[in-house]
Amino acid sequence: MNLGLAAADFDVRMLITPLRRLAESEGLWQLRSHAKGDVILQHGAPSSHIFVLEAGLLKLVYPTPNGDEWIKSFIVDQGVFGSVDERDAAQPS
C-alpha cells in the first residue's frame, strides 16, 4: 500500500513528524538503513509493518505471472508504505 502522499499539494512531513513522535513514545519506531537494491518487503511474505521512508528512493514492484516486474510506483525522499492488508499480518503482502 503506497499512501500516495507525494502530491505537490501535500507535505508528507505533516504525517511523518507526528507519527514518529507517537511511535517513538510507544517504542514502535525502529530506524534502519538499507543499501541500494535491498528488498524491504518481499511480495507474498506476511507483514504487519508500516514503513516510513525519510530519505532516499524506493521502487515498489510486483512480480507478474510471466516472471517480469511490474513497477507500481517510486517514493522519493519521504513517504509511507506497507503491506496490502496490514490489518491481518498472517495474510501475504
Side-chain angles (χ1 to χ4, degrees):
M1 162 183 61
N2 176 357
L3 295 181
L5 301 174
D9 59 343
F10 182 80
D11 184 354
V12 73
R13 290 173 296 194
M14 293 171 27
L15 174 66
I16 291 175
T17 302
L19 179 62
R20 182 175 189 160
R21 281 195 303 263
L22 177 63
E24 283 178 332
S25 71
E26 297 292 324
L28 300 172
W29 191 271
Q30 297 176 356
L31 185 60
R32 295 183 182 161
S33 295
H34 294 277
K36 180 179 179 178
D38 280 356
V39 175
I40 309 298
L41 179 63
Q42 183 68 42
H43 178 78
S47 175
S48 61
H49 295 91
I50 299 295
F51 298 88
V52 177
L53 178 68
E54 291 190 294
L57 171 67
L58 185 98
K59 177 174 72 170
L60 298 175
V61 297
Y62 296 91
T64 64
N66 65 358
D68 293 331
E69 287 185 343
W70 172 64
I71 299 173
K72 179 182 182 231
S73 60
F74 289 93
I75 301 175
V76 180
D77 293 328
Q78 293 186 328
V80 179
F81 66 99
S83 174
V84 172
D85 192 354
E86 68 281 351
R87 294 168 293 173
D88 187 356
Q91 295 299 312
S93 56

